[in-house]
Structures are given as C-alpha cells and as structure tokens.
Amino acid sequence: MAAAAVDCPGSLKSVRIVVVGDKGTGKSSLIVAAATDSFPPNVPPVLPDTKLPFEFFPDGIPVTIVDTSSRQEDRNMVAEELKQADAVVLTYACDRPETLEGLTTYWLPELRRLEVKVPIIVAGCKLDFRDDNNQVSLEQVMSPIMQQFREIETCIECSALKQLQAQEVFYYAQKTVLHPTGPLFDQEAQALKPRCVRALKRIFILCDQDRDGALSEAELNDFQVKCFHAPLQPSEIEGVKRVVQEKLPEGVNERGLTVTGFLFLHALFIEKGRLETTWTVLRKFGYNNEIRLADELLPPSLFKRTPDQSVELTDVAIEFLKGVFMMFDDDEDNNLRPQEIEDLFSTAPESPWKDAPYDGAAEKTALGGLSVDAFLSLWSLMTILEPAKSVEYLIYIGFPGDPSSAIRLTRRRRLDRKKQQCERKVFQCFVFGPNNAGKSALLNCFLGRSYDNQGSTTDERYAVNMVDDSGSAKKTLVMREIPDDGAKGLFSSKESLAACDIAVFVYDSSDESSWKRATELLVEVATHGEATGYEVPCLMVSAKDDLDSFPICIQESTRVTQDMGIEPPVSISSKLGDFNNLFRKIVTAAQHPHLSIPETEAGKSRKHYNRLINRSLMAVSIGAAAVVVGLAAYRVYAARKSASA
C-alpha cells in the first residue's frame, strides 16, 4: 500500500502556518530561507503572507506562511492570526537562552489561553550562532517542555544562514496538519485509538463485498485502486499477507486478510512513520481530522427547514434499520442487549445514545435491552432533534443509499392547521406543569416503568415510544418534559413552540396551587401562540386521581377548559396504572392540529375585532360594487335614450 495525493471529502484544500516568537529569533529569515532557498541580507521586520513553491510538498496542497510582529502593541493582531492557523511554528534563538525560556513563560501559555488547538512545531533558529563550548542536545532542552506542553508535535533546530533544515520546519508543520498522529495513535499505549479502530473496521466491512469476514486478493486490489489509484501485484499481496502472518497468525486465514490483520497493518504503518497511508485511506472513505464523516457528505442544505417543520425517517431508512436490528439480534428474541447495541455501533465513532437526551429515553425490555419498536423510536427521536447526527450514524452503520433518501421534511405545522389534517408519523408533545405535579411519573409510565421504580426530576428530559393509533399504523410520540422553572426561558424565544405538535399540562388534582400554576402555564402557552402564530393543540391532565381532589376542582377545571375552548381535563393515576387512553388521546389531538387550540380573552377580543373589520370592509365593498353597477346601468340607459332621440 502506497500513499497518494489527497483529493476527497475531509481533506484540507490549503494549509496556513503562522510563525510566532520573541523579537530577533529569526522568524522572517526562516520564512525567506524556506521559500527561496537562499539567505537575503536585508529582511523587513514583518513579511507579507508567503506561499511556498508548489513542488516543495508531495501532497500538492498549497501552503501559506504568515509572519507576525513581535511588538507589544500588535499582540491583538497576532492573536487573530493564531486563531486562523492550521499549525503554529514557535521560534526561539539557539544563541539566546532567554528566548527559550519565553516559550514556557509566555508563548505556550498564551496559545492555551487563546484556545489555539492546532499542532505546534518548536523551531530553534540561528543554530550557526550557538556557542560551540555550550553544546546541549535538543532532547535535553525540549524533553521537559514537551512533557509539560503535550500540544507540541515536534522540535527541530535550523539555520537560515546555512540553509540547514529551514524547509524541513515547514514540511513537518504541514505534515502534522495533513497527517496528525494524535487522532490515530496513542503513543503511551502504543496502540490505535478507539475511534480510529472503529473507522477502519467500517472501511474493512465496506470493502468486504462478499461478507465472508476477510479481504480476498480481488477485494484487496479493489481497495488499493480506490485509495491509491494503482493495483497491487500478486507478489505484493503475498508480501503483505506474509508480514501479517509472521507477526499475527490470526490476521490472515484461507479466505484472505481478516479485520484483525487489517488493523495490524495500519498500526504498523503508523509506527513506521507512514501516517499518510492511513490518512489517505480514511479520507478516501470520507473522514476528516476528527475521524468523523466530512461536512461535504452531510451538507447543511439537506437539513434546511423552517422552525415549524420537522425531520422524519423515510420508509427506506426504517426498513434498513429493521434489517440491522435483525442482523444484530442473534438469538432472535426481539431484544437488542446492551452489548449487541455496542456491536451495532462499533463502526461509528461512539454509541450515540449513551448520554442525554437519549440515555433512558426509550422503553427497556426485561433483559435491559431494546425491542425493535424502542430501537426505531430512539432513531426517530435522534432524527427529530439532530437530523444531521441521525443521518451521519445511519451511514456509519452501513446505510447504502444517498443520505437524502433517509429523511424527509414534514409539511409546515401552520399549513397543517389550515388544511385541518396532518401527515406526520412522529409527534412531539411538550409536557408542562409545576414541580411535583406528576410529569416525571407520566413519562416513566409512558416507558413502561413500574410506579414503585420511579424518580422525580426537575431537569428537561425526553421519553419516546410508539402508540397504537386505533386501526392505522403505529405513531411515534416524543414527550419532552419542561421543568417549571424552564418554561420562562422557553417563552422568551418567538419560535419556541414551533416544533411542538401538542402541549400537555399536568397538575396534582389534590393540590389547588398545582392546578392554578398549570392554568397559568396554559394561558402563557395560548398567549405565546396567539402572539407568534405558532398555536398548538392543548390538553390538561389531572394527575394523582387516586388522591382526594381539592374542593370544586372538577367544577373549576371544567369551567376554565370550556372558556378556553379545549377538552375537559383527562384524569389519570400513575400509581394505579390508569391512564384513560391518555397517550392515544394525545396522538389523536396532535393529528387534528386545528382543534383543541386554547383561546385567551385577549385572543377572542382580537378575533372578534378582526371579524368586525372584515364585515365592515365587506359592507364597503358591496356598497362600492352597487355604486359601480348603478353607474354602469345609468350609462347604458343614457346611451339608449340618446340613440333613440
């Protein structure tokens, strides 16, 4: 396997190297020496941006070197340049120990303060001026500094005057940008990093066309041509297999190179300093420097939508995911255990569901795994919240089609209300209510958790599950719990309700203050919807029905809901497991977006005023039309009279 020029998603199109250091350390002379292969007698204090000759670098990627001022008053300008750098060359003068000390007392801490997270090359300039009687090895000088500042990639001594390693400084700087070691290899453990292993495993599976767990000679050849534009000779293939077999017998079997052998080869390339080989492979399969899919493969235009549109998986993506589920459900018990889920995502950078909001958001089986419905529900949740991430992970686990075929944009909710129907398959429900009203218990019961095994929370969280929709296909319901103190922040944004299909207001039926707060929240949501145009259907839920209701609760709640034009509260008891078909009612209400929309008194007055205005305008229009018709009739009459005369 040999390296080739990189021209694919994830690869950089140019490299910008910024040179900084104390005054008089030789920054400008170093740049001129590298660019012209000569030492000019007179160098200006700060050079303009300098492009290195194209032929200097085998990757064929243009390199621009940026010189910087050492004056105190120019520090802000230098900081801006550093923030745009792909790599930094940090200079000191070999004949001036104080400039070396300046690296640790100012420059390296300053780079950290500015959060400049790019490779750093330390260059000891003016090597020809160093005192021959005070010879200290570069390793002795730099080893303690590199221990303290791990961001330093390498150190090199050079002389612009003697043309000694001036070009190599920038060669190494470019190489650390295009082929960085950090993302691939753990130097202390002397092993490939987990994310690199996962990416290479995915590449191996993509190249293993017959799915027999090994790369045959034909498959190895196809891989070589795809990545390096040149086939392998039979003797080269045998040589590769022999090297692997000698060091790692399980790396080769009778069918060809195994995934273990494939990973071993790349570890070997990196240990021998041939990082460009592994990076060429990664970039050819669409990976960037973070070993994630490059932005070009997931263009933002694919996910562009209005605030009241959502993103759903297509039937094509759902069928693919069902197939993936069956593939990893080895014992066919309709249960993906945690380890099987880990295996499923072993070709992705990491499992996407380990942290909030996905961890604990779906119903678990008795064995602690996921059923196919729960599995698909989590994908729907990720698609509605982070569509780009959802598509990215579909690609990692082997989705074969165009990324655009995996998702669809829904119609705008505002248009749904006008058409009085909805085509969505995934609905998002915002759950409001005061603390201790029963919101968390409701979400937990939605996920099939027993009442005894529940905890209350004041954090925002999600729960997702499928709901049978009386005779038609199942719908996916996403419930988002809004903590009481989080509601104020939600209303501060004009578009905060745009993604909401239905709002539910939960209150403790035994607590009058809980009912009053839930009513306040209902009015706030209705007011916000009327002001922004993002009205949403609303439903009130009277929780803790097993407790005694506070006096006049039923009468008061019925009056308020009736006045606002929505259904009376639905009574439930999480403790008794009595939900009164609540989740089906939520889905049904969400499917009829023109109904159950609450109206405030101000909203009713505004609507009444608009009707009066419209009627007045209609009357004026009819009157004007009558005048026009009258004039026309008179003109006809006058014309006839004139003709008869």
Side-chain angles (χ1 to χ4, degrees):
M1 298 183 187
V6 178
D7 183 20
C8 45
S11 62
L12 289 171
K13 303 298 182 274
S14 63
V15 175
R16 188 175 180 85
I17 302 171
V18 176
V19 185
V20 294
D22 286 347
K23 184 178 181 181
T25 52
K27 298 188 296 296
S28 303
S29 297
L30 173 64
I31 295 169
V32 172
T36 65
D37 208 12
S38 63
F39 182 78
N42 298 310
V43 181
V46 180
L47 295 169
D49 291 359
T50 305
K51 291 190 181 297
L52 289 184
F54 201 71
E55 65 274 8
F56 272 23
F57 302 102
D59 295 272
I61 293 174
V63 177
T64 300
I65 304 175
V66 180
D67 195 8
T68 58
S69 168
S70 302
R71 299 190 311 167
Q72 186 71 35
E73 56 266 37
D74 293 331
R75 287 282 161 90
N76 288 339
M77 192 168 20
V78 173
E80 288 305 310
E81 290 289 1
L82 286 168
K83 289 175 183 177
Q84 298 176 51
D86 295 312
V88 173
V89 170
L90 189 49
T91 62
Y92 69 93
C94 292
D95 62 330
R96 291 169 55 202
E98 72 275 12
T99 61
L100 178 61
E101 188 180 332
L103 301 186
T104 54
T105 58
Y106 176 75
W107 286 108
L108 288 162
E110 175 68 0
L111 290 171
R112 283 184 177 178
R113 186 187 70 80
L114 294 171
E115 297 183 352
V116 177
K117 296 176 181 177
V118 298
I120 296 170
I121 308 296
V122 173
C125 301
K126 303 188 179 183
L127 182 60
D128 50 292
F129 281 100
R130 189 163 62 190
D131 184 0
D132 292 337
N133 297 322
N134 187 25
Q135 291 287 355
V136 182
S137 73
L138 182 61
E139 186 178 352
Q140 284 177 294
V141 170
M142 290 306 304
S143 185
I145 298 175
M146 292 183 75
Q147 285 292 323
Q148 185 182 354
F149 297 94
R150 297 275 183 178
E151 54 268 46
I152 298 173
E153 284 280 341
T154 192
C155 307
I156 185 170
E157 292 180 327
C158 57
S159 168
L161 178 65
K162 302 288 187 181
Q163 288 298 298
L164 183 64
Q165 299 201 117
Q167 292 177 354
E168 281 79 353
V169 170
F170 298 104
Y171 172 79
Y172 286 126
Q174 185 214 33
K175 189 175 180 183
T176 60
V177 174
L178 299 177
H179 313 126
T181 308
L184 303 184
F185 201 72
D186 187 327
Q187 297 283 14
E188 291 184 11
Q190 286 295 293
L192 294 173
K193 286 191 171 178
R195 190 175 281 192
C196 178
V197 169
R198 288 165 168 260
L200 291 172
K201 183 179 175 184
R202 171 177 169 258
I203 291 168
F204 178 91
I205 291 170
L206 290 173
C207 295
D208 181 17
Q209 294 168 7
D210 57 11
R211 298 289 184 268
D212 66 349
L215 296 184
S216 64
E217 291 191 8
E219 288 168 339
L220 272 173
N221 229 348
D222 289 344
F223 166 78
Q224 177 74 13
V225 170
K226 177 180 174 69
C227 295
F228 306 105
H229 311 297
L232 285 168
Q233 298 302 315
S235 59
E236 291 176 306
I237 293 176
E238 284 305 312
V240 166
K241 289 161 71 174
R242 188 167 54 251
V243 167
V244 173
Q245 202 157 28
E246 285 174 1
K247 301 282 187 182
L248 196 73
E250 65 269 30
V252 177
N253 62 25
E254 66 279 2
R255 295 187 299 277
L257 186 70
T258 67
V259 67
T260 310
F262 187 72
L263 293 171
F264 168 78
L265 268 181
H266 282 280
L268 194 63
F269 293 143
I270 293 166
E271 285 175 8
K272 292 183 177 295
R274 291 173 56 190
L275 287 90
E276 63 274 12
T277 301
T278 300
W279 274 116
T280 299
V281 171
L282 289 168
R283 292 206 170 102
K284 188 59 71 172
F285 283 86
Y287 288 92
N288 60 20
N289 272 20
E290 285 74 47
I291 316 191
R292 299 193 75 98
L293 288 180
D295 292 342
E296 295 97 311
L297 297 178
L298 299 163
S301 58
L302 190 62
F303 312 102
K304 192 174 181 182
R305 60 198 183 279
T306 61
D308 63 342
Q309 283 182 295
S310 55
V311 184
E312 294 181 359
L313 293 169
T314 60
D315 290 341
V316 172
I318 290 169
E319 288 305 310
F320 165 76
L321 287 170
K322 286 179 179 176
V324 169
F325 184 96
M326 291 171 63
M327 186 191 308
F328 283 88
D329 181 18
D330 291 330
D331 49 10
E332 299 181 3
D333 63 348
N334 189 34
N335 172 54
L336 278 189
R337 293 180 176 85
Q339 185 54 53
E340 290 172 329
I341 295 170
E342 276 296 313
D343 293 342
L344 190 155
F345 287 117
S346 65
T347 51
E350 57 270 317
S351 173
W353 298 338
K354 283 190 171 181
D355 301 314
Y358 309 107
D359 183 35
E363 185 173 1
K364 295 284 179 70
T365 63
L367 298 170
L370 297 175
S371 67
V372 67
D373 279 358
F375 177 71
L376 294 174
S377 293
L378 271 177
W379 276 102
S380 292
L381 177 61
M382 186 159 66
T383 305
I384 208 169
L385 296 183
E386 301 177 278
K389 182 176 181 178
S390 181
V391 173
E392 180 185 0
Y393 275 80
L394 279 170
I395 296 171
Y396 289 137
I397 65 172
F399 183 73
D402 187 300
S404 62
S405 69
I407 55 170
R408 71 179 192 92
L409 290 184
T410 64
R411 191 167 63 192
R412 295 189 64 179
R413 288 176 175 83
R414 194 172 293 184
L415 195 55
D416 282 346
R417 285 196 296 277
K418 283 185 180 178
K419 291 186 175 290
Q420 301 188 358
Q421 61 177 353
C422 178
E423 300 170 343
R424 283 182 178 75
K425 296 178 182 177
V426 182
F427 298 100
Q428 190 167 182
C429 170
F430 287 17
V431 183
F432 294 92
N435 294 332
N436 301 313
K439 301 189 300 297
S440 298
L442 177 62
L443 265 67
N444 286 333
C445 290
F446 182 52
L447 301 179
R449 295 172 190 165
S450 66
Y451 181 79
D452 296 332
N453 186 28
Q454 296 190 20
S456 178
T457 177
T458 55
D459 297 327
E460 182 175 296
R461 58 178 283 226
Y462 288 85
V464 61
N465 213 336
M466 289 192 177
V467 177
D468 285 317
D469 182 27
S470 54
S472 63
K474 291 180 180 179
K475 298 294 190 290
T476 303
L477 179 60
V478 174
M479 301 191 76
R480 175 185 174 188
E481 181 178 351
I482 311 291
D484 192 9
D485 57 3
K488 187 176 181 182
L490 193 74
F491 297 136
S492 65
S493 166
K494 178 186 175 183
E495 295 163 347
S496 57
L497 293 177
C500 179
D501 292 296
I502 180 167
V504 165
F505 301 84
V506 183
Y507 63 92
D508 178 350
S509 60
S510 68
D511 182 350
E512 185 176 3
S513 63
S514 183
W515 151 251
K516 286 183 176 177
R517 177 58 184 146
T519 308
E520 288 172 5
L521 287 166
L522 171 64
V523 172
E524 286 183 51
V525 166
T527 303
H528 189 80
E530 289 168 351
T532 61
Y534 294 121
E535 297 105 325
V536 295
C538 293
L539 194 62
M540 295 211 78
V541 174
S542 174
K544 305 185 184 182
D545 196 39
D546 51 290
L547 302 177
D548 291 333
S549 297
F550 72 87
I552 70 167
C553 169
I554 297 172
Q555 180 184 340
E556 187 68 13
S557 61
T558 302
R559 182 190 64 78
V560 169
T561 51
Q562 195 170 16
D563 285 350
M564 297 192 75
I566 64 173
E567 289 185 31
V570 180
S571 297
I572 66 165
S573 169
S574 299
K575 186 174 184 178
L576 300 178
D578 178 14
F579 293 100
N580 202 2
N581 286 323
L582 173 63
F583 304 117
R584 188 177 291 174
K585 287 178 179 178
I586 290 173
V587 169
T588 301
Q591 289 183 97
H592 299 87
H594 60 298
L595 302 176
S596 303
I597 294 177
E599 285 187 291
T600 63
E601 289 303 320
K604 288 177 186 175
S605 299
R606 196 180 303 115
K607 193 176 283 187
H608 180 66
Y609 174 74
N610 288 338
R611 283 200 196 103
L612 288 176
I613 293 294
N614 288 336
R615 282 175 190 163
S616 300
L617 290 173
M618 183 69 76
V620 169
S621 298
I622 291 169
V627 170
V628 170
V629 170
L631 282 171
Y634 174 75
R635 283 175 183 160
V636 170
Y637 168 75
R640 285 177 180 169
K641 189 175 180 183
S642 174
S644 62

